[in-house]
PDB file of all heavy atoms in Angstrom:
ATOM      1  N   ARG R 344     -13.506  10.183  -8.009  1.00  0.00           N
ATOM      2  CA  ARG R 344     -14.552   9.629  -8.883  1.00  0.00           C
ATOM      3  C   ARG R 344     -15.334  10.738  -9.602  1.00  0.00           C
ATOM      4  O   ARG R 344     -15.752  10.566 -10.742  1.00  0.00           O
ATOM      5  CB  ARG R 344     -15.482   8.731  -8.086  1.00  0.00           C
ATOM      6  CG  ARG R 344     -14.832   7.419  -7.698  1.00  0.00           C
ATOM      7  CD  ARG R 344     -15.797   6.528  -6.916  1.00  0.00           C
ATOM      8  NE  ARG R 344     -15.147   5.328  -6.444  1.00  0.00           N
ATOM      9  CZ  ARG R 344     -14.948   4.229  -7.161  1.00  0.00           C
ATOM     10  NH1 ARG R 344     -15.354   4.183  -8.410  1.00  0.00           N
ATOM     11  NH2 ARG R 344     -14.344   3.183  -6.649  1.00  0.00           N
ATOM     12  N   ALA R 345     -15.510  11.872  -8.931  1.00  0.00           N
ATOM     13  CA  ALA R 345     -16.213  13.000  -9.556  1.00  0.00           C
ATOM     14  C   ALA R 345     -15.351  13.671 -10.621  1.00  0.00           C
ATOM     15  O   ALA R 345     -15.868  14.167 -11.625  1.00  0.00           O
ATOM     16  CB  ALA R 345     -16.618  14.020  -8.489  1.00  0.00           C
ATOM     17  N   ARG R 346     -14.045  13.687 -10.433  1.00  0.00           N
ATOM     18  CA  ARG R 346     -13.130  14.371 -11.350  1.00  0.00           C
ATOM     19  C   ARG R 346     -12.799  13.529 -12.585  1.00  0.00           C
ATOM     20  O   ARG R 346     -12.605  14.064 -13.677  1.00  0.00           O
ATOM     21  CB  ARG R 346     -11.836  14.731 -10.610  1.00  0.00           C
ATOM     22  CG  ARG R 346     -10.830  15.467 -11.476  1.00  0.00           C
ATOM     23  CD  ARG R 346      -9.587  15.848 -10.681  1.00  0.00           C
ATOM     24  NE  ARG R 346      -8.631  16.541 -11.506  1.00  0.00           N
ATOM     25  CZ  ARG R 346      -8.513  17.853 -11.603  1.00  0.00           C
ATOM     26  NH1 ARG R 346      -9.320  18.638 -10.917  1.00  0.00           N
ATOM     27  NH2 ARG R 346      -7.597  18.391 -12.378  1.00  0.00           N
ATOM     28  N   LEU R 347     -12.720  12.218 -12.408  1.00  0.00           N
ATOM     29  CA  LEU R 347     -12.247  11.322 -13.463  1.00  0.00           C
ATOM     30  C   LEU R 347     -13.395  10.519 -14.072  1.00  0.00           C
ATOM     31  O   LEU R 347     -14.375  10.221 -13.402  1.00  0.00           O
ATOM     32  CB  LEU R 347     -11.214  10.343 -12.888  1.00  0.00           C
ATOM     33  CG  LEU R 347     -10.003  10.955 -12.191  1.00  0.00           C
ATOM     34  CD1 LEU R 347      -9.157   9.859 -11.548  1.00  0.00           C
ATOM     35  CD2 LEU R 347      -9.164  11.783 -13.157  1.00  0.00           C
ATOM     36  N   THR R 348     -13.230  10.146 -15.332  1.00  0.00           N
ATOM     37  CA  THR R 348     -14.174   9.210 -15.947  1.00  0.00           C
ATOM     38  C   THR R 348     -13.944   7.836 -15.310  1.00  0.00           C
ATOM     39  O   THR R 348     -12.892   7.596 -14.695  1.00  0.00           O
ATOM     40  CB  THR R 348     -13.946   9.105 -17.464  1.00  0.00           C
ATOM     41  OG1 THR R 348     -12.674   8.477 -17.695  1.00  0.00           O
ATOM     42  CG2 THR R 348     -14.022  10.466 -18.145  1.00  0.00           C
ATOM     43  N   PRO R 349     -14.881   6.904 -15.456  1.00  0.00           N
ATOM     44  CA  PRO R 349     -14.647   5.559 -14.917  1.00  0.00           C
ATOM     45  C   PRO R 349     -13.355   4.918 -15.442  1.00  0.00           C
ATOM     46  O   PRO R 349     -12.630   4.268 -14.681  1.00  0.00           O
ATOM     47  CB  PRO R 349     -15.890   4.777 -15.358  1.00  0.00           C
ATOM     48  CG  PRO R 349     -16.968   5.822 -15.402  1.00  0.00           C
ATOM     49  CD  PRO R 349     -16.267   7.055 -15.942  1.00  0.00           C
ATOM     50  N   GLU R 350     -13.046   5.097 -16.731  1.00  0.00           N
ATOM     51  CA  GLU R 350     -11.802   4.525 -17.271  1.00  0.00           C
ATOM     52  C   GLU R 350     -10.581   5.209 -16.670  1.00  0.00           C
ATOM     53  O   GLU R 350      -9.601   4.553 -16.318  1.00  0.00           O
ATOM     54  CB  GLU R 350     -11.765   4.630 -18.801  1.00  0.00           C
ATOM     55  CG  GLU R 350     -10.529   3.948 -19.382  1.00  0.00           C
ATOM     56  CD  GLU R 350     -10.425   4.032 -20.889  1.00  0.00           C
ATOM     57  OE1 GLU R 350     -11.040   4.941 -21.494  1.00  0.00           O
ATOM     58  OE2 GLU R 350      -9.713   3.201 -21.465  1.00  0.00           O
ATOM     59  N   GLN R 351     -10.613   6.533 -16.562  1.00  0.00           N
ATOM     60  CA  GLN R 351      -9.493   7.249 -15.948  1.00  0.00           C
ATOM     61  C   GLN R 351      -9.298   6.805 -14.500  1.00  0.00           C
ATOM     62  O   GLN R 351      -8.170   6.590 -14.064  1.00  0.00           O
ATOM     63  CB  GLN R 351      -9.728   8.759 -15.999  1.00  0.00           C
ATOM     64  CG  GLN R 351      -9.598   9.344 -17.379  1.00  0.00           C
ATOM     65  CD  GLN R 351     -10.084  10.780 -17.443  1.00  0.00           C
ATOM     66  OE1 GLN R 351     -10.986  11.203 -16.706  1.00  0.00           O
ATOM     67  NE2 GLN R 351      -9.494  11.558 -18.340  1.00  0.00           N
ATOM     68  N   TYR R 352     -10.383   6.650 -13.767  1.00  0.00           N
ATOM     69  CA  TYR R 352     -10.299   6.211 -12.379  1.00  0.00           C
ATOM     70  C   TYR R 352      -9.668   4.821 -12.295  1.00  0.00           C
ATOM     71  O   TYR R 352      -8.776   4.582 -11.473  1.00  0.00           O
ATOM     72  CB  TYR R 352     -11.690   6.209 -11.722  1.00  0.00           C
ATOM     73  CG  TYR R 352     -11.647   5.836 -10.273  1.00  0.00           C
ATOM     74  CD1 TYR R 352     -11.441   6.802  -9.290  1.00  0.00           C
ATOM     75  CD2 TYR R 352     -11.780   4.512  -9.875  1.00  0.00           C
ATOM     76  CE1 TYR R 352     -11.373   6.460  -7.947  1.00  0.00           C
ATOM     77  CE2 TYR R 352     -11.710   4.161  -8.536  1.00  0.00           C
ATOM     78  CZ  TYR R 352     -11.512   5.135  -7.579  1.00  0.00           C
ATOM     79  OH  TYR R 352     -11.434   4.776  -6.247  1.00  0.00           O
ATOM     80  N   ALA R 353     -10.106   3.898 -13.149  1.00  0.00           N
ATOM     81  CA  ALA R 353      -9.559   2.539 -13.143  1.00  0.00           C
ATOM     82  C   ALA R 353      -8.060   2.537 -13.411  1.00  0.00           C
ATOM     83  O   ALA R 353      -7.304   1.801 -12.772  1.00  0.00           O
ATOM     84  CB  ALA R 353     -10.283   1.677 -14.178  1.00  0.00           C
ATOM     85  N   VAL R 354      -7.620   3.365 -14.331  1.00  0.00           N
ATOM     86  CA  VAL R 354      -6.192   3.437 -14.671  1.00  0.00           C
ATOM     87  C   VAL R 354      -5.410   4.190 -13.603  1.00  0.00           C
ATOM     88  O   VAL R 354      -4.429   3.684 -13.056  1.00  0.00           O
ATOM     89  CB  VAL R 354      -5.997   4.100 -16.059  1.00  0.00           C
ATOM     90  CG1 VAL R 354      -4.534   4.461 -16.297  1.00  0.00           C
ATOM     91  CG2 VAL R 354      -6.513   3.190 -17.158  1.00  0.00           C
ATOM     92  N   MET R 355      -5.842   5.400 -13.293  1.00  0.00           N
ATOM     93  CA  MET R 355      -5.041   6.308 -12.467  1.00  0.00           C
ATOM     94  C   MET R 355      -5.085   5.994 -10.977  1.00  0.00           C
ATOM     95  O   MET R 355      -4.107   6.218 -10.274  1.00  0.00           O
ATOM     96  CB  MET R 355      -5.475   7.743 -12.722  1.00  0.00           C
ATOM     97  CG  MET R 355      -5.272   8.153 -14.181  1.00  0.00           C
ATOM     98  SD  MET R 355      -5.923   9.777 -14.567  1.00  0.00           S
ATOM     99  CE  MET R 355      -4.706  10.810 -13.758  1.00  0.00           C
ATOM    100  N   ARG R 356      -6.203   5.505 -10.478  1.00  0.00           N
ATOM    101  CA  ARG R 356      -6.327   5.253  -9.040  1.00  0.00           C
ATOM    102  C   ARG R 356      -6.204   3.771  -8.688  1.00  0.00           C
ATOM    103  O   ARG R 356      -5.885   3.415  -7.572  1.00  0.00           O
ATOM    104  CB  ARG R 356      -7.652   5.811  -8.499  1.00  0.00           C
ATOM    105  CG  ARG R 356      -7.881   7.291  -8.793  1.00  0.00           C
ATOM    106  CD  ARG R 356      -6.707   8.225  -8.544  1.00  0.00           C
ATOM    107  NE  ARG R 356      -6.243   8.189  -7.166  1.00  0.00           N
ATOM    108  CZ  ARG R 356      -5.105   8.726  -6.739  1.00  0.00           C
ATOM    109  NH1 ARG R 356      -4.309   9.355  -7.572  1.00  0.00           N
ATOM    110  NH2 ARG R 356      -4.767   8.637  -5.481  1.00  0.00           N
ATOM    111  N   ASN R 357      -6.481   2.882  -9.677  1.00  0.00           N
ATOM    112  CA  ASN R 357      -6.401   1.437  -9.422  1.00  0.00           C
ATOM    113  C   ASN R 357      -5.322   0.747 -10.244  1.00  0.00           C
ATOM    114  O   ASN R 357      -5.356  -0.466 -10.406  1.00  0.00           O
ATOM    115  CB  ASN R 357      -7.765   0.776  -9.680  1.00  0.00           C
ATOM    116  CG  ASN R 357      -8.775   1.141  -8.623  1.00  0.00           C
ATOM    117  OD1 ASN R 357      -8.427   1.354  -7.469  1.00  0.00           O
ATOM    118  ND2 ASN R 357     -10.036   1.223  -9.007  1.00  0.00           N
TER     119      ASN R 357
END
Side-chain angles (χ1 to χ4, degrees):
R344 288 181 185 278
R346 181 178 180 95
L347 304 174
T348 67
E350 184 181 22
Q351 288 169 330
Y352 183 88
V354 168
M355 299 174 73
R356 305 315 301 168
N357 289 328

